[in-house]
Amino acid sequence: MGKLYVIGIGPGGLDHMTLRAKEAIDECNIVVGYNKYIDMIKPLVENKELFSTGMRGEEARCKKALELSKDNTVALISTGDSGIYGMAGLILQMQNDEVVEVIPGVTASSAAGSVIGAPLMHDNCNISLSDLMTPYDLIKKRVRNAADADMIISLYNPRSKGRPHYLREAIEIIKEYRSLDTPVAVVRHALRDGQEVRMFTLENFDEEVVDMFSIVIVGNSQSFIKNGKFITPRGYDV
């Protein structure tokens, strides 16, 4: 009987993958994933059978991975953590009698946080601004509730050509609950080639530098910048 590993490969660089993720890929004879994600781990899959699709091919990839895993050891890969906006949930929904193991990876907010300092040291949340799977009114409600709860907020899928105003509206909601000098970071291609970092406050935030390759991290009421680093204190007496 075969097995399916659902693997989070982290931000994209091989040096930021977990050892277990690399071991699981090595065990597999077939790798399934979005074509650009497979390219990121090309040195690990050169001698393996590959099945890839383009954007929005998630259901087809999951179905194929489950079919192949009946007689093969298969890796289904996601960037970041496979259980955070990845393939793990969909696979487990579709699973019947297949053997499935979920292997975590470094998610985008953690990757971006490490680049800019320690912004996620207290209670925080991830909110995707993509309305492909979630109604926009519900997204705005989540942003408002997180802002009201003084949570550090990481915005995934923050700005696309089809919905450039969503990020602007999210920031305006957060401004209702936070000081205008609250730090905001934009990290593009976190821990990948072409990494870019920009630091703002809520007052001078520039949405034009943000795209779908970016993560936007908004601090809470205690967050500050020190020595160029974005810090949210945990509460230690320093």
Side-chain angles (χ1 to χ4, degrees), residues 10 17 49 81 83 101 130 158 178 182 187 202 218 230 234 238:
M17 287 179 63
E49 182 180 341
D81 186 310
E101 180 179 342
S130 171
R178 306 277 162 92
T182 301
V187 184
L202 280 175
V218 182
F230 189 146
R234 183 76 175 93
V238 177

Side-chain angles (χ1 to χ4, degrees), residues 125-174:
C125 67
N126 300 324
I127 300 177
S128 171
L129 295 188
S130 171
D131 60 357
L132 289 175
M133 302 292 183
T134 307
Y136 184 48
D137 285 346
L138 181 54
I139 293 171
K140 289 194 293 184
K141 180 179 180 180
R142 289 172 174 169
V143 171
R144 183 173 297 280
N145 288 345
D148 185 34
D150 198 30
M151 299 185 78
I152 305 132
I153 303 173
S154 298
L155 297 173
Y156 282 61
N157 306 309
R159 188 170 184 265
S160 70
K161 292 180 180 178
R163 45 178 179 78
H165 59 290
Y166 284 15
L167 176 59
R168 184 184 322 131
E169 292 178 358
I171 293 297
E172 289 303 316
I173 290 170
I174 296 169

Side-chain angles (χ1 to χ4, degrees), residues 121-122 222 232-238:
M121 284 293 295
H122 217 298
Q222 304 301 310
T232 302
R234 183 76 175 93
Y236 298 106
D237 187 13
V238 177

Side-chain angles (χ1 to χ4, degrees), residues 28-44:
C28 296
N29 57 303
I30 301 175
V31 177
V32 179
Y34 174 44
N35 45 36
K36 291 187 178 180
Y37 298 164
I38 288 179
D39 287 343
M40 291 177 180
I41 59 169
K42 199 169 184 178
L44 303 182

